């Protein structure tokens, strides 16, 4: 235990105080001076997190480095005290709770001042009669990476040993621009990463969504930030993405028929498109639109990068398992749930379960074509359930709606088949605005078939072309199309007349892969 000098104040920071950079900030402000004691169990916790490659560990150790500099210049006296944890706890929440408890007990035993950024830690310390300082959110300053953003910057890409670059423009019309001629150093990237983590720990509009060995995903205000480091990547890298513009649904100038469908019938909506095309921006506008219609709206996101009013509750997929989210949404019964960035089997299963339970669902998926979005469900759910789960597909390209599909189930003979007994349940995918049938999905044997009907119908032109060529080979004969085949009707007299030309019909058959039959009338 540290010996106390009369009149001297001993400050004992906890984990949040170090990872937020709060202690050095209080020293710079003149609010803290004298002796600062770091509990060895917390040093052990920081070392553990750093060994796992987590930014929280690096941020805490960076703060200790700053405190050591203050100690070396005589501004403060830095000491380490307390016992290390003997039996290490595997559960991380339990581990942090145990370290917090040890730090409180130590501060109580030396009559010291606990420094924390955690409201719960503050309340527990107050109840124990411990002197405690709760670090408030610091005034938001411009962080290092933000200097690379301009009004039209979509994303910034920073990597050690490489010059900083940015995507400037808008979805579908952007260009890569070098922001400097000088490559960034590892120290500069690490400093920016630590700034981001410190800001995240101290701001109410920021979250560390995922912190793994080698990568950290952060939502900081409007910025979605991905930090990667060795050994996952070959060097430290920061990618920051920011939405250029927040739109209302009215800004998309939707056709009245689509607005009516969104108001009255669409309850299983897929928003699809390639990365960076504006899917999340449209989903955000649709969520706000339903909120303004007095509907209860919630979201499932990872990271929580939608900028939405407080009326809409945003759930993080990372902080809850599928079962927990399923229970919460089933019991709270929102009118609509926006599921952003559906990726794995669990995501699609959760979307399907909630939709079949009667909750309006809006899913966001990556897809290069509109039909790809529907195909993402094939194999994950029963084929016949797809129209009950998805009724509307909205494909976004270059920030605008490029295609809208309507999904329905019917029983019919699939296009291209000729035998009436082959009729079966068929999922029809139609262009919503024109009503034109574009795709059919059905099972044939054990296979699921996705048929581009428009292309099949294009073969009708091939039939006409064959009939035209047959007319040149055999003038004045009866040629017609029956069940997809070309049928030539000849009399016995005509058969003798055109006998040598029948070989040319076989060449047409091979060329176009369309059956040509000759029928002889008596």
């Amino acid at each position: 235990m540290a010996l106390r000098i009369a009149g001297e104040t001993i400050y004992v920071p906890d984990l949040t105080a170090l990872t937020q950079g709060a202690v050095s900030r209080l020293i710079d402000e003149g609010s803290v001076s004298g002796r600062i004691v770091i509990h060895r169990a917390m040093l052990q916790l920081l070392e553990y997190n750093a060994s796992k490659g987590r930014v929280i560990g690096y941020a805490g150790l960076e703060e200790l480095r700053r405190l050591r500099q203050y100690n070396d210049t005589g501004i403060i006296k830095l000491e380490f005290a307390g016992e290390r944890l003997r039996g290490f706890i595997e559960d991380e929440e339990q581990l942090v709770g145990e370290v917090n408890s040890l730090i409180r007990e130590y501060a109580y035993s030396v009559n010291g001042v606990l420094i924390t950024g955690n409201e719960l830690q503050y309340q527990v310390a107050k109840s124990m009669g411990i002197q405690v300082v709760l670090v408030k959110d610091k005034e938001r300053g411009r962080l290092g990476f933000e200097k690379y953003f301009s009004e039209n910057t979509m994303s910034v890409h920073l990597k050690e040993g490489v010059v900083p670059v940015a995507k400037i423009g808008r979805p579908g019309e952007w260009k890569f621009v070098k922001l400097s001629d000088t490559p960034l150093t590892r120290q500069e990237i690490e400093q920016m990463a630590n700034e981001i983590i410190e800001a995240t720990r101290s701001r109410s509009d920021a979250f560390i969504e995922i912190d793994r060995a080698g990568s950290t995903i952060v939502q900081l205000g409007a910025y979605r930030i991905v930090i990667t480091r060795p050994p996952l990547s070959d060097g430290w890298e920061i990618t920051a993405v920011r939405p250029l513009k927040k739109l209302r649904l009215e800004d998309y100038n939707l056709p009245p028929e689509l607005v009516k469908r969104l108001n009255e019938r669409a309850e299983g909506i897929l928003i699809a498109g390639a990365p960076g095309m504006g899917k999340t921006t449209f989903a955000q506008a649709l969520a706000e639109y339903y909120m303004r219609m007095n509907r209860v709206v919630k979201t499932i996101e990872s990271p929580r990068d939608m900028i939405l009013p407080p009326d809409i509750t945003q759930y993080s997929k990372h902080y809850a398992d599928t079962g927990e989210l399923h229970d919460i949404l089933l019991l709270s019964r929102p009118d609509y749930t926006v599921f952003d960035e559906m990726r794995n089997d669990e995501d699609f299963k959760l979307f399907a379960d909630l939709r079949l339970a009667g909750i309006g669902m809006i899913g966001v998926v990556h897809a290069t074509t509109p039909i790809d979005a529907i195909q993402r469900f094939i194999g994950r759910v029963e084929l016949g359930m797809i129209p009950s789960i998805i009724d509307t597909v909205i494909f976004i390209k270059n920030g605008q709606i490029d295609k809208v599909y309507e999904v329905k189930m019917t029983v019919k003979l699939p296009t291209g088949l000729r035998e009436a007994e082959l009729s079966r349940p068929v999922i029809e995918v139609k262009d919503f605005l024109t009503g034109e049938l574009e795709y059919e999905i059905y099972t044939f044997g054990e296979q699921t078939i996705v048929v581009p009907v428009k292309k099949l119908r294009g073969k009708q032109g091939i039939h006409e072309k064959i009939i035209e060529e047959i007319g040149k080979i055999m003038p004045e004969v009866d040629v017609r199309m029956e069940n997809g085949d070309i049928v030539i009707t000849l009399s016995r007299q005509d058969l003798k007349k055109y006998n040598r030309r029948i070989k040319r019909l076989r060449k047409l058959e091979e060329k176009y892969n369309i059956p040509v039959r000759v029928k002889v009338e008596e």
Side-chain angles (χ1 to χ4, degrees):
M1 184 179 294
L3 293 174
R4 186 185 185 90
I5 300 172
E8 182 185 47
T9 303
I10 296 177
Y11 293 95
V12 185
D14 73 354
L15 180 67
T16 55
L18 289 181
T19 56
Q20 291 176 16
V23 185
S24 59
R25 192 163 74 246
L26 291 172
I27 293 170
D28 291 337
E29 294 170 357
S31 304
V32 168
S33 61
R35 193 186 307 193
I36 295 174
V37 178
I38 305 298
H39 200 287
R40 288 191 175 92
M42 190 175 61
L43 185 62
Q44 189 179 359
L45 180 61
L46 291 175
E47 182 183 3
Y48 169 75
N49 278 288
S51 71
K52 294 288 186 182
R54 294 181 181 136
V55 171
I56 185 175
Y58 289 108
L61 292 174
E62 177 65 20
E63 175 71 347
L64 287 180
R65 185 189 63 78
R66 287 193 288 263
L67 296 181
R68 174 58 60 187
Q69 289 179 340
Y70 288 136
N71 176 83
D72 294 344
T73 55
I75 297 173
I76 60 163
K77 188 174 183 182
L78 181 65
E79 295 181 1
F80 294 87
E83 296 291 329
R84 288 170 61 90
L85 290 170
R86 293 181 182 178
F88 207 71
I89 303 167
E90 291 295 329
D91 184 271
E92 292 187 26
E93 286 189 16
Q94 194 177 347
L95 174 62
V96 173
E98 180 65 22
V99 172
N100 281 339
S101 177
L102 290 172
I103 292 170
R104 285 196 305 269
E105 292 293 340
Y106 181 82
Y108 181 80
S109 67
V110 299
N111 196 26
V113 178
L114 178 67
I115 304 175
T116 183
N118 185 305
E119 179 68 32
L120 178 60
Q121 176 86 314
Y122 173 76
Q123 294 295 343
V124 174
K126 290 285 283 184
S127 69
M128 292 175 63
I130 301 171
Q131 298 179 72
V132 59
V133 174
L134 178 63
V135 182
K136 303 292 184 182
D137 288 358
K138 65 180 180 180
E139 186 179 343
R140 296 179 193 175
R142 189 173 173 86
L143 300 181
F145 79 93
E146 290 184 282
K147 68 184 179 184
Y148 296 111
F149 276 88
S150 63
E151 185 180 351
N152 297 319
T153 303
M154 296 169 59
S155 61
V156 165
H157 306 262
L158 312 173
K159 184 180 179 182
E160 64 171 279
V162 179
V163 297
V165 295
K167 283 184 180 180
I168 296 179
R170 62 185 184 85
E173 293 183 17
W174 52 265
K175 57 182 178 179
F176 258 124
V177 177
K178 285 186 179 181
L179 304 176
S180 170
D181 294 327
T182 307
L184 292 165
T185 65
R186 180 169 189 157
Q187 184 179 1
E188 287 175 313
I189 296 287
E190 286 186 4
Q191 184 178 351
M192 282 188 277
N194 286 334
E195 278 184 350
I196 291 165
I197 297 305
E198 288 175 15
T200 303
R201 293 289 180 185
S202 62
R203 282 172 51 168
S204 58
D205 66 338
F207 311 92
I208 294 180
E209 291 285 356
I210 299 172
D211 195 6
R212 302 188 185 104
S215 69
T216 304
I217 299 175
V218 172
Q219 187 63 38
L220 184 68
Y223 297 101
R224 181 174 63 200
I225 303 169
V226 179
I227 302 169
T228 62
R229 51 196 171 275
L232 174 64
S233 57
D234 59 351
W236 277 72
E237 182 181 38
I238 296 174
T239 303
V241 181
R242 182 190 65 183
L244 283 180
K245 192 175 181 182
K246 184 177 178 181
L247 299 174
R248 290 165 62 94
L249 196 67
E250 292 79 2
D251 296 327
Y252 286 91
N253 298 317
L254 303 182
E257 312 96 285
L258 180 56
V259 174
K260 184 179 179 182
R261 183 175 182 85
L262 293 174
N263 289 342
E264 298 175 2
R265 293 187 56 196
E267 291 188 327
I269 303 169
L270 275 189
I271 300 170
M277 287 295 163
K279 301 183 300 296
T280 300
T281 302
F282 181 77
Q284 183 177 282
L286 190 56
E288 285 199 41
Y289 177 73
Y290 282 129
M291 183 205 74
R292 296 199 308 271
M293 291 176 63
N294 296 321
R295 308 284 177 87
V296 177
V297 182
K298 299 181 186 293
T299 73
I300 303 172
E301 304 170 61
S302 184
R304 284 165 285 187
D305 59 350
M306 287 189 182
I307 303 169
L308 295 167
D311 309 65
I312 298 174
T313 303
Q314 296 173 260
Y315 296 120
S316 171
K317 192 174 63 174
H318 177 68
Y319 286 100
D321 59 30
T322 301
E324 185 177 358
L325 287 170
H326 184 275
D327 293 343
I328 289 170
L329 291 165
L330 276 183
L331 293 171
S332 60
R333 286 284 172 159
D335 297 305
Y336 283 92
T337 297
V338 181
F339 202 138
D340 193 24
E341 300 290 345
M342 293 162 58
R343 301 185 187 97
N344 54 37
D345 289 347
E346 284 191 349
D347 293 348
F348 286 91
K349 185 177 183 300
L350 179 59
F351 182 95
D353 284 349
L354 294 174
R355 177 68 202 101
L356 293 173
I359 297 172
M361 296 297 294
I362 303 165
V364 179
V365 294
H366 289 302
T368 52
T369 65
I371 194 65
D372 288 347
I374 301 173
Q375 287 183 276
R376 299 283 293 275
F377 279 86
I378 296 176
R380 289 183 161 117
V381 299
E382 289 290 333
L383 188 67
M385 299 302 296
I386 288 179
S388 300
I389 298 166
I390 310 159
D391 54 44
T392 308
V393 179
I394 299 173
F395 188 74
I396 306 293
K397 186 175 181 181
N398 298 335
Q400 297 296 322
I401 293 178
D402 183 65
K403 176 78 77 173
V404 180
Y405 277 154
E406 179 183 16
V407 183
K408 285 184 176 180
M409 173 71 83
T410 187
V411 176
K412 58 180 279 191
L413 181 67
T415 303
L417 300 184
R418 296 185 292 275
E419 311 265 344
E421 59 268 21
L422 294 177
S423 294
R424 64 197 60 232
V426 176
I427 296 173
E428 293 187 330
V429 181
K430 295 182 177 181
D431 186 309
F432 173 70
L433 296 177
T434 66
E436 184 179 9
L437 179 63
E438 295 204 4
Y439 290 90
E440 289 179 347
I441 306 172
Y442 55 89
T443 56
F444 195 90
E446 296 183 357
Q447 288 186 315
T448 299
I449 311 294
V450 180
V451 179
V453 175
K454 284 181 74 174
K455 291 182 181 178
L456 273 185
R457 286 178 173 167
K459 290 186 178 179
Q460 300 294 332
I462 296 175
H463 286 84
E464 291 168 3
K465 190 172 182 180
I466 295 172
I467 291 171
E468 186 180 339
E469 290 194 30
I470 290 172
K472 293 177 182 177
I473 297 170
M474 298 178 171
E476 301 176 359
V477 299
D478 183 18
V479 185
R480 68 183 65 184
M481 190 169 63
E482 292 181 7
N483 295 325
D485 293 352
I486 303 294
V487 179
I488 303 170
T489 305
L490 295 173
S491 65
R492 293 240 173 230
Q493 187 176 351
D494 288 337
L495 182 61
K496 293 177 182 178
K497 179 180 176 181
Y498 295 119
N499 189 40
R500 292 185 180 180
R501 303 186 191 182
I502 289 177
K503 291 182 181 179
R504 293 170 66 182
L505 297 179
R506 300 295 161 244
K507 290 182 180 179
L508 279 178
E509 195 174 38
E510 291 172 6
K511 179 180 178 181
Y512 293 105
N513 197 26
I514 300 290
V516 178
R517 292 190 286 120
V518 176
K519 187 188 293 184
V520 181
E521 287 184 341
E522 295 297 334

